Amino acid sequence: MIIVSGCLAGLRCRFDGRENPVQKIIDLVKEGKAIPLCSEQLGGLATPRAKAERVGEKVLTEDGVDITSQFKRGADEVLKIAKIVGCKKAILKSKSPSCGSCEIFDGTFSKTLIKGNGVLAELLKENNIEVVTENEI
């Protein structure tokens, strides 16, 4: 079973209430091979919600509100689900403070990318779950 970012499966769970549908990912869900999840929602954040970026170990909104605990709680919940279903791979939204793999926005809200992982991507990798982005499938 594969865990996929809900927004990539067509769910309106992005911070701005929109989705980022990718047909290949939608097909995986339809075929019963993937489960769409949003760790930010599972962490208790509303949709829509303030834009956020990772700054070191913290996740902050543009207004400087620290929402790290919600991001960590959501990542923990996704990991629990991944373990229950025997997930070995995740396809996550690139550049996201939650799901980004190998590169994320730098925390200045200037669309500048740096090397790094989102909170969820980092946790899944630490637990030996392969993480790729929608750009790698």
Side-chain angles (χ1 to χ4, degrees):
M1 188 60 64
I2 302 170
I3 297 292
V4 298
S5 293
C7 63
L8 299 176
L11 302 178
R12 293 180 183 208
C13 56
R14 277 176 34 126
F15 75 93
D16 59 5
R18 296 175 44 206
E19 75 277 353
N20 289 313
V22 174
Q23 192 59 50
K24 287 181 183 180
I25 293 173
I26 293 168
D27 292 343
L28 287 171
V29 173
K30 285 182 179 178
E31 294 164 8
K33 296 177 181 175
I35 299 172
L37 298 170
C38 177
S39 64
E40 294 174 26
Q41 287 180 335
L42 286 170
L45 295 170
T47 301
R49 57 191 164 273
K51 191 176 201 177
E53 292 188 5
R54 194 162 187 193
V55 181
E57 293 301 311
K58 292 186 176 191
V59 180
L60 305 175
T61 67
E62 279 185 288
D63 296 334
V65 177
D66 187 340
I67 55 174
T68 307
S69 64
Q70 292 94 327
F71 270 65
K72 287 184 176 183
R73 184 180 323 124
D76 288 341
E77 292 301 307
V78 170
L79 180 60
K80 285 180 196 174
I81 294 167
K83 287 180 177 181
I84 289 168
V85 300
C87 173
K88 299 290 183 208
K89 182 176 184 177
I91 305 170
L92 304 179
K93 178 68 186 106
S94 63
K95 305 172 190 168
S96 159
S98 208
C99 298
S101 178
C102 299
E103 66 177 7
I104 56 174
F105 292 115
D106 71 351
T108 64
F109 298 90
S110 63
K111 298 191 178 188
T112 302
L113 293 170
I114 59 170
K115 290 183 181 184
N117 294 302
V119 175
L120 173 61
E122 186 174 88
L123 182 64
L124 294 179
K125 288 178 178 189
E126 288 170 356
N127 283 271
N128 300 312
I129 295 174
E130 178 188 4
V131 175
V132 298
T133 70
E134 75 278 16
N135 301 320
E136 298 172 276
I137 59 166

